[in-house]
C-alpha cells in the first residue's frame, strides 16, 4: 500500500489558505490540523471548522487528524476542563471529517516520581476514552517530552490499561528524552496507529528526517511492512515568529550552518523532501 502523507502545515504559515498552498505544493493528502488562522483547533468555532472543511474539500484535501493539546495540562487542574475541551474537539472533528485526535498524558510533577501518578493518569485517559466512545474517532497518545508517557515503558502501561487508545509514534521526542527509538518501536509497534515524522539528535537539535538519531527510515519502513500507511510530517525546522512556540515551548536550533532555511516554506519543503527520499515515495 502507498503511504499517505499529511503534515502540520501551520509550520509554514498561520493562515489556512497558505497552509493549503504548502500541502498542494508538496503533493500531500491533507492536514493534521493544529492552528487555524492563529487559533488552536481545539478552540475554533463550528462556523470556522465548516469554512476550513469547505476550503480543503475544494482542493481535494482532507483533515486526517486533529493535533489537539488535550492532556497537555497539569494533573492539579480540574479534570472537567479537559473533558469539556475533548467534547468540543470531537464536534470539530466531526465537522472536519477527522478520524483521529492526538492527545497527551499530562505534565509530570517535578516533585514526584511519574510512577506515583499512574492511577490518576489512567483514570483521566479512561474518561477521555469513554467520552470518545461511539464517535468514530480514535484517540491517539503522543510521546511528548515531559509528560507521563514520554518513555516507551510508561507509554506501554497507558496502552495496556486503556486499550481504546492507540499510539502516535514520534521518534524525535523519544530521542530528546534519551529513549532509544528502536527499543521503543519494538515495545510499542503493535499499538502504533500512525507516525509523526520528526528527527533529532541527542543534543536536542531537531534535524531533517533521516539526519538524526531517531532511526526514522528503519522504523518507517518497518511500520509500512506491517501495513501502516499514515504519516504526519512535523518539521520543527524553522524558528522564526511564524512558529511562536512549538509543542513543548522550545525553539528549534540549527547546527552551525548545516540546516539553515531562508523561510518557513523552505524548511517545510525540505522536511517533506527528506522523508520522500527516505521511503522512496
Amino acid at each position: 500500500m502507498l503511504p499517505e502523507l499529511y503534515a502540520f502545515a501551520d509550520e509554514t504559515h498561520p493562515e489556512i489558505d497558505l497552509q493549503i498552498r504548502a500541502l498542494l505544493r508538496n503533493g500531500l493528502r491533507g492536514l493534521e490540523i493544529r492552528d487555524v488562522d492563529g487559533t488552536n483547533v481545539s478552540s475554533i468555532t463550528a462556523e470556522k471548522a465548516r469554512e476550513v472543511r469547505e476550503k480543503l474539500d475544494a482542493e481535494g484535501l482532507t483533515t486526517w487528524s486533529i493535533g489537539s493539546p488535550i492532556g497537555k495540562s497539569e494533573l492539579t487542574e480540574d479534570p472537567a476542563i479537559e473533558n469539556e475541551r475533548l467534547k468540543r474537539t470531537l464536534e470539530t472533528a466531526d465537522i472536519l471529517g477527522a478520524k483521529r485526535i492526538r492527545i497527551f498524558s499530562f505534565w509530570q510533577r517535578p516533585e514526584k516520581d511519574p510512577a506515583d501518578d499512574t492511577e490518576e493518569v489512567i483514570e483521566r485517559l479512561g474518561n477521555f476514552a469513554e467520552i470518545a466512545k461511539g464517535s468514530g474517532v480514535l484517540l491517539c497518545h503522543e510521546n511528548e517530552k515531559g509528560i507521563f508517557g514520554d518513555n516507551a515503558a510508561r507509554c506501554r502501561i497507558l496502552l495496556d490499561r486503556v486499550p481504546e487508545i492507540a499510539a502516535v509514534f514520534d521518534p524525535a521526542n523519544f530521542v530528546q528524552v534519551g529513549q532509544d527509538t528502536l527499543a521503543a518501536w519494538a515495545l510499542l509497534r503493535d499499538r502504533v496507529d500512525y507516525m509523526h515524522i520528526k528527527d533529532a539528535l541527542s543534543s536536542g537539535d531537531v534535524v531533517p528526517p533521516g539526519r538524526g538519531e531517531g532511526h526514522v527510515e528503519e522504523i518507517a519502513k518497518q511500520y509500512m511492512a506491517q501495513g501502516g500507511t499514515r504519516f504526519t510530517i512535523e518539521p520543527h525546522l524553522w524558528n522564526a515568529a511564524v512558529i511562536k512556540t512549538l509543542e513543548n515551548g522550545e525553539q528549534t536550533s540549527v547546527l552551525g550552518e548545516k540546516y539553515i532555511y531562508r523561510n518557513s516554506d523552505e524548511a517545510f519543503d525540505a522536511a517533506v523532501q527528506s522523508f520522500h527520499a527516505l521511503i522512496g515515495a
Side-chain angles (χ1 to χ4, degrees):
M1 297 176 67
L2 293 175
E4 300 176 24
L5 303 187
Y6 304 88
F8 284 112
D10 59 344
E11 294 200 21
T12 59
H13 297 279
E15 295 86 357
I16 190 63
D17 291 341
L18 296 179
Q19 293 180 37
I20 288 171
R21 187 181 301 174
L23 295 170
L24 294 172
R25 181 176 69 245
N26 284 281
L28 303 178
R29 294 176 63 119
L31 285 168
E32 178 158 349
I33 196 165
R34 185 169 54 194
D35 285 309
V36 180
D37 295 334
T39 300
N40 185 270
V41 66
S42 65
S43 300
I44 65 172
T45 64
E47 180 182 13
K48 187 65 175 180
R50 284 189 286 271
E51 175 192 324
V52 171
R53 176 69 183 268
E54 289 174 4
K55 289 181 175 183
L56 291 169
D57 284 351
E59 300 293 349
L61 299 169
T62 62
T63 299
W64 150 244
S65 181
I66 304 289
S68 86
I70 293 166
K72 193 176 278 191
S73 58
E74 305 289 345
L75 285 167
T76 52
E77 184 179 277
D78 182 351
I81 296 173
E82 289 289 68
N83 290 345
E84 288 304 312
R85 182 154 59 164
L86 176 57
K87 291 174 185 177
R88 292 195 304 273
T89 305
L90 283 164
E91 293 170 359
T92 300
D94 183 59
I95 295 169
L96 291 172
K99 298 303 181 184
R100 302 290 187 275
I101 293 178
R102 179 214 34 197
I103 63 169
F104 301 94
S105 54
F106 306 96
W107 296 123
Q108 294 177 23
R109 294 189 262 198
E111 73 279 8
K112 297 187 68 174
D113 184 328
D116 295 337
D117 288 327
T118 301
E119 295 308 316
E120 186 170 359
V121 171
I122 295 298
E123 180 179 0
R124 293 192 185 210
L125 292 185
N127 289 337
F128 288 171
E130 187 61 29
I131 290 167
K133 187 176 181 180
S135 67
V137 174
L138 179 64
L139 302 182
C140 296
H141 173 268
E142 179 184 344
N143 53 289
E144 174 62 275
K145 302 175 293 297
I147 62 171
F148 177 87
D150 69 353
N151 68 21
R154 287 194 293 270
C155 285
R156 189 73 222 189
I157 291 170
L158 299 178
L159 296 168
D160 287 344
R161 297 282 300 278
V162 191
E164 300 87 354
I165 291 174
V168 183
F169 193 95
D170 187 308
N173 288 346
F174 276 137
V175 170
Q176 290 173 328
V177 299
Q179 167 72 64
D180 179 83
T181 56
L182 292 177
W185 173 250
L187 187 63
L188 303 174
R189 63 184 296 166
D190 64 311
R191 297 297 305 282
V192 172
D193 185 72
Y194 70 106
M195 289 186 64
H196 281 172
I197 298 305
K198 184 163 91 255
D199 206 351
L201 300 170
S202 55
S203 62
D205 292 288
V206 178
V207 294
R211 309 290 178 84
E213 298 170 32
H215 299 283
V216 173
E217 179 179 5
E218 184 174 352
I219 292 171
K221 288 181 176 178
Q222 289 187 29
Y223 168 69
M224 289 189 291
Q226 68 184 35
T229 60
R230 299 182 180 99
F231 301 90
T232 294
I233 297 170
E234 186 179 15
H236 278 21
L237 295 176
W238 175 248
N239 67 342
V242 68
I243 312 174
K244 294 184 177 67
T245 56
L246 298 176
E247 292 294 353
N248 197 17
E250 86 270 19
Q251 290 290 321
T252 302
S253 59
V254 296
L255 306 177
E257 298 296 320
K258 195 169 185 182
Y259 302 119
I260 296 179
Y261 304 96
R262 292 172 296 179
N263 53 56
S264 57
D265 281 317
E266 186 177 276
F268 183 86
D269 295 355
V272 176
Q273 292 162 12
S274 291
F275 187 59
H276 275 298
L278 288 185
I279 62 172

